[in-house]
Amino acid sequence: MKRTRYKRREFLKTTVQASSAICFGITGLAPTLCSAAMPSKQSTIVVAENHLVRDSKDKLIGNQVGRLLERAMENLLQVPKSELAWQKLFGARDVVGIKVNCLAGKGISTHFEIVEAIIEGLRSAGVMEKNIIIWDRSSHDLEKAGYRIQTDHNRVQCYGTERVGYTYRVYEFGEVGSCLSKILVEKCTAIINVPILKDHGIVGMTNALKNFFGAIHNPNKYHDQRGDPYIADVNMLSEIRSKVKLIISDALTAQCEGGPPFMPQWAWSQNSLLVGFDPVAIDALGWQIIEAKRQEKGLPTLKAAGREPSYIATAADEQHRLGCNDLSKTNIIRV
Amino acid sequence: MAIQHVQSRRQFLGSCLNLGASSSAFWLANRLWAPERCLSSPVENLTEARYYEKLPQRKIKCVLCPRECVIDDQETGYCGVRENRGGIYYTLVYGRPCSAHIDPIEKKPLFHFLPGSVAFSIATVGCNVLCKFCQNWEISQARPDQVPSADMPPEMIAAQAKRNDCQSISYTYTEPVIFTEYMYDCAVAGRKINVKSVMISNGYIQKKPMQDLCGVLDAVKIDLKAFTEKFYTEMVSGHLQPVLDTLVLLKNEGMWTEIVYLVIPTLNDHPKDLQQMCRWLVQELGPDVPLHFSRFYPQYRLKNLSPTPVSTLETARKIALDSGLHFVYIGNVPGHEGENTYCPGCHKLVIRRLGYQIAENNLLENGFCKFCQRKIPGIWK
């Protein structure tokens, strides 16, 4: 395959220029920090927001997005430098999957600026570029969103599950029985969940929990009853529950109606990142943000529209205990 | 792993012939190639679906099956094989079978339809229900990009059936409702060269598309999975009533229909439910509808259950016969007397079966009992 060098800012179109493959070799596998593993601890979400992440033409500025994430990580892990935060979570032996959501194309997909910043963070923790995989359900979806497929083994990887397929084993919990992406099961030791925040015409909204419908082979079977309890059940599947180490919800652009496809009239620049370990709390906060925007736009609540995302509460119930859906009990740090 | 591309017609047919030639001649159930869990390239030759309504905001409503999925742009319905692209609804599986075998018609099972003949049997990926006991879940619960498929237009299916001395094309293995356009066109192509068509289905379909299909099909086998709404809700992710409606519709349309009831221990084997079902069948469809009680083997998400005891199947058969049904069979128990057809008039054996083979046939031409001349219902030539 012919190799071409690209500008650094275009790394996601080339899946990162391997300019300096520095291996820090610091830590082993990161401990599980998801709320599912620590149900007794109070959930923390860092809301990092800054309108300066965009230029005068409303385009995202990569460096500013990177700085926003650095501040979020420092506050989430309570460390003075973001590198220390990344080093607490990931190490040189990790193969880290960055699960994006690119179903809806360029308008409302995980921004490559935030993925670029995540890769910088992982590199600072000693994760080798070749051990970073940007992935989603299909390469076609990734390409639609502007990502370039990359399978050169010396660089950051970027491809969809169709490249490697799904497990033959059916993973089960509750009502769900699904084969899982081999990227998740066989390639990665750790996952960073990088969803986008948007409205969903059936389940109400999609953010952290729903993003793993992009990791199962049969999501079409689990949209009945507004995805409840299926979305919560999918997040209970052992490989998902044990491997997700961090959630960075991309709310730089959000959409309050008409999803999942991109509807520009309902999208807005929220310029936020919601960062934490608790997918339930992050979804509860995301829901609040969407409801506030819907109210501002004169739209009915999701409940009144007949699509309240009840799966969030289910994810917090006794059977699931994936996190806390009571924002009054969540430590929300705004930076 | 390398990407697997859609097989060419030549490759597909080549594999058919190769495997066909090398497989056992005991019967012709040749598995042409097994579906794999790696992937074909995205399907691009789309065909617009036939049963849907356009809604505002580029949404559509599918009216093919009772689910009536409302589907956003870029999304698929519950079946996973019909997709909304920009407000137009497409089938992703038209002309793209993922499986093609030559099977004895008894395997379907259809016992009163051209006994001893073989059917060119095809399936695409996808299904509109989610049975926890599905034996073909690798293809029925997959999406088109997850299973290799061939490019075989309807005329080619019909021609292959004819070339392989198949008297019928069978739409089977997964759920043909979800590839209804392809099934319809294959049946039309088959009729032109005197090849019949049979649909092996769950009956979960709306009235209009089923009526349309009745114009081109010759027989239908319906899986009646239970006679309780609870079972349909919990084990099938569907509802009972639409299936019963389809059975009545088929009766009214004069379509030759047989019914299979997979007896699953503890879940749908209660004698009271079986009795209610049999009474309903006699009342609504008449005593001549063949009913097959099939033995369950642990599959998919019901691996915790044991195979159905033969005694349970025998009890079910007795209940059905006592209810007045004339043709009640036991399936998946080779050599059992419940595989045979007995004349309801003289009670003599008219067809003796061994597995999928016809061991003895005492039917006269046009399906009359050799011993008492009573007409045995079915399609015999």
Side-chain angles (χ1 to χ4, degrees):
Chain A
M1 182 184 293
K2 187 179 177 182
R3 293 185 187 180
T4 310
R5 285 186 172 271
Y6 294 85
K7 290 179 181 177
R8 184 153 175 1
R9 278 286 288 110
E10 295 175 333
F11 84 99
L12 285 174
K13 294 173 183 172
T14 64
T15 53
V16 175
Q17 185 69 26
S19 56
S20 56
I22 303 167
C23 177
F24 291 90
I26 298 171
T27 63
L29 295 176
T32 299
L33 284 176
C34 281
S35 58
M38 305 190 305
S40 60
K41 288 196 175 181
Q42 185 186 26
S43 293
T44 295
I45 306 173
V46 176
V47 182
E49 188 172 327
N50 189 345
H51 69 280
L52 295 176
V53 294
R54 292 181 191 269
D55 65 16
S56 57
K57 293 179 180 172
D58 210 33
K59 287 192 173 179
L60 288 170
I61 305 166
N63 289 342
Q64 292 296 331
V65 173
R67 181 63 199 131
L68 197 63
L69 182 60
E70 284 175 7
R71 283 163 53 207
M73 293 299 290
E74 289 159 6
N75 280 275
L76 181 66
L77 276 297
Q78 298 292 299
V79 291
K81 287 198 166 193
S82 67
E83 291 87 348
L84 298 173
W86 290 104
Q87 287 163 19
K88 278 192 168 187
L89 301 177
F90 305 97
R93 282 191 283 171
D94 272 324
V95 177
V96 182
I98 301 173
K99 173 63 180 75
V100 293
N101 182 345
C102 292
L103 183 68
K106 281 184 179 171
I108 190 80
S109 291
T110 303
H111 292 93
F112 64 77
E113 288 85 355
I114 187 63
V115 176
E116 180 181 35
I118 292 167
I119 291 171
E120 280 300 306
L122 290 171
R123 287 182 59 215
S124 75
V127 180
M128 288 183 283
E129 289 183 348
K130 68 177 184 180
N131 288 337
I132 298 170
I133 306 171
I134 304 159
W135 66 284
D136 202 353
R137 183 185 69 164
S138 78
S139 299
H140 180 62
D141 288 349
L142 286 161
E143 286 177 316
K144 270 195 312 181
Y147 292 74
R148 177 168 290 188
I149 302 310
Q150 176 60 267
T151 55
D152 183 331
H153 291 301
N154 292 319
R155 298 182 177 188
V156 170
Q157 308 285 293
C158 180
Y159 52 84
T161 293
E162 90 287 346
R163 293 271 168 150
V164 293
Y166 294 85
T167 60
Y168 185 76
R169 176 183 165 186
V170 178
Y171 289 81
E172 296 183 71
F173 185 88
E175 294 298 313
V176 162
S178 295
C179 304
L180 292 175
S181 167
K182 286 184 179 174
I183 300 172
L184 168 73
V185 175
E186 296 179 4
K187 301 280 185 185
C188 296
T189 62
I191 297 292
I192 303 175
N193 183 8
V194 195
I196 45 161
L197 176 61
K198 65 175 179 178
D199 174 81
H200 191 288
I202 298 173
V203 307
M205 58 155 270
T206 171
N207 194 25
L209 291 163
K210 176 76 165 49
N211 197 24
F212 283 107
F213 267 30
I216 62 175
H217 86 294
N218 55 353
N220 48 303
K221 298 297 186 192
Y222 298 131
H223 283 79
D224 284 357
Q225 298 158 184
R226 305 187 312 280
D228 189 8
Y230 310 109
I231 296 173
D233 287 351
V234 164
N235 281 269
M236 290 296 287
L237 299 179
S238 56
E239 293 287 333
I240 295 174
R241 200 170 183 193
S242 64
K243 286 189 177 175
V244 178
K245 306 296 182 190
L246 179 64
I247 303 156
I248 300 169
S249 171
D250 178 352
L252 297 167
T253 304
Q255 184 174 314
C256 65
E257 172 73 1
F262 177 50
M263 296 279 179
Q265 67 272 37
W266 300 115
W268 81 99
S269 296
Q270 174 72 13
N271 300 324
S272 292
L273 301 175
L274 315 181
V275 185
F277 305 116
D278 181 338
V280 183
I282 286 176
D283 274 11
L285 184 58
W287 180 12
Q288 195 177 69
I289 291 168
I290 283 188
E291 290 289 15
K293 183 58 71 173
R294 289 179 67 86
Q295 189 176 25
E296 182 187 316
K297 297 271 187 184
L299 293 165
T301 64
L302 289 175
K303 186 175 183 179
R307 48 194 175 93
E308 178 185 16
S310 57
Y311 65 84
I312 299 173
T314 301
D317 70 13
E318 278 298 306
Q319 276 190 311
H320 297 84
R321 305 208 318 171
L322 285 162
C324 175
N325 72 325
D326 183 349
L327 290 177
S328 70
K329 295 175 182 170
T330 302
N331 178 28
I332 299 174
I333 303 170
R334 296 186 185 274
V335 298
Chain B
M1 182 182 294
I3 301 171
Q4 278 224 339
H5 292 280
V6 173
Q7 291 197 346
S8 68
R9 292 177 195 178
R10 187 181 293 270
Q11 288 170 322
F12 180 82
L13 294 171
S15 62
C16 292
L17 295 173
N18 290 338
L19 279 172
S22 62
S23 64
S24 165
F26 182 65
W27 55 58
L28 293 172
N30 304 320
R31 186 159 191 141
L32 301 183
W33 43 273
E36 300 172 30
R37 298 217 66 76
C38 51
L39 315 159
S40 57
S41 28
V43 178
E44 292 304 332
N45 53 341
L46 303 172
T47 300
E48 186 172 356
R50 286 181 195 159
Y51 301 97
Y52 75 99
E53 297 167 4
K54 293 189 176 187
L55 301 177
Q57 290 194 320
R58 301 200 303 268
K59 294 184 180 190
I60 66 95
K61 178 182 176 184
C62 182
V63 292
L64 173 59
C65 94
R67 290 190 179 280
E68 298 195 336
C69 295
V70 174
I71 306 165
D72 282 300
D73 187 16
Q74 306 299 316
E75 296 275 340
T76 65
Y78 188 88
C79 61
V81 303
R82 302 167 76 81
E83 185 169 296
N84 178 355
R85 293 196 181 179
I88 298 175
Y89 200 35
Y90 292 98
T91 164
L92 306 178
V93 293
Y94 186 95
R96 308 205 74 88
C98 67
S99 194
H101 306 189
I102 297 171
D103 288 341
I105 197 71
E106 284 75 15
K107 189 183 176 186
K108 302 302 141 192
L110 282 169
F111 279 10
H112 292 230
F113 183 88
L114 307 179
S117 69
V118 288
F120 194 81
S121 306
I122 59 170
T124 74
V125 296
C127 184
N128 59 348
V129 295
L130 177 53
C131 298
K132 291 181 177 173
F133 45 88
C134 183
Q135 62 176 350
N136 288 327
W137 67 271
E138 295 101 324
I139 50 176
S140 72
Q141 300 306 318
R143 291 177 296 165
D145 60 340
Q146 296 168 355
V147 177
S149 60
D151 178 9
M152 293 187 75
E155 294 73 21
M156 178 173 281
I157 294 293
Q160 284 297 315
K162 191 78 173 176
R163 191 171 302 158
N164 286 284
D165 294 325
C166 298
Q167 291 186 51
S168 60
I169 303 166
S170 172
Y171 313 96
T172 182
Y173 306 131
T174 56
E175 177 44 60
V177 166
I178 58 92
F179 60 89
T180 189
E181 297 87 355
Y182 185 41
M183 171 167 50
Y184 185 96
D185 290 354
C186 286
V188 169
R191 282 208 164 179
K192 287 178 183 170
I193 55 174
N194 201 27
V195 175
K196 292 181 165 57
S197 276
V198 300
M199 177 190 187
I200 310 303
S201 174
N202 59 25
Y204 211 57
I205 184 171
Q206 293 221 18
K207 186 176 178 182
K208 175 70 168 69
M210 190 68 248
Q211 280 177 325
D212 290 347
L213 285 166
C214 283
V216 296
L217 295 174
D218 297 283
V220 174
K221 188 219 80 179
I222 296 293
D223 280 311
L224 182 55
K225 295 168 192 289
F227 205 65
T228 64
E229 176 63 13
K230 183 174 187 291
F231 183 96
Y232 264 89
T233 305
E234 294 178 358
M235 294 290 138
V236 179
S237 293
H239 299 286
L240 170 62
Q241 191 57 48
V243 182
L244 301 182
D245 293 344
T246 296
L247 285 168
V248 172
L249 171 71
L250 291 169
K251 166 77 176 173
N252 294 338
E253 292 284 335
M255 177 62 59
W256 179 253
T257 303
E258 300 190 26
I259 296 168
V260 165
Y261 188 100
L262 182 72
V263 183
I264 305 176
T266 72
L267 296 180
N268 67 354
D269 62 347
H270 198 286
K272 191 185 264 184
D273 295 335
L274 295 174
Q275 201 166 47
Q276 279 187 342
M277 176 186 72
C278 293
R279 283 180 186 157
W280 185 89
L281 291 175
V282 171
Q283 186 179 328
E284 298 294 333
L285 307 183
D288 284 340
V289 62
L291 173 62
H292 304 250
F293 288 112
S294 281
R295 189 181 197 193
F296 160 86
Y297 287 93
Q299 297 279 353
Y300 193 31
R301 298 186 63 194
L302 282 188
K303 288 182 178 165
N304 57 323
L305 296 178
S306 302
T308 318
V310 174
S311 60
T312 303
L313 297 168
E314 290 169 338
T315 300
R317 183 166 181 255
K318 184 173 186 313
I319 289 169
L321 290 169
D322 290 348
S323 299
L325 286 168
H326 291 156
F327 305 100
V328 186
Y329 300 102
I330 287 178
N332 290 344
V333 187
H336 195 282
E337 67 163 1
E339 288 190 313
N340 303 328
T341 301
Y342 297 90
C343 174
C346 65
H347 304 291
K348 289 187 175 167
L349 185 149
V350 288
I351 300 178
R352 187 162 68 85
R353 298 180 182 84
L354 185 61
Y356 302 142
Q357 286 193 314
I358 302 297
E360 182 181 345
N361 190 341
N362 294 316
L363 275 180
L364 297 173
E365 200 174 341
N366 286 329
F368 288 90
C369 170
K370 184 171 85 175
F371 307 106
C372 71
Q373 320 304 315
R374 178 175 173 140
K375 170 78 175 168
I376 306 295
I379 294 173
W380 306 107
K381 66 174 185 179

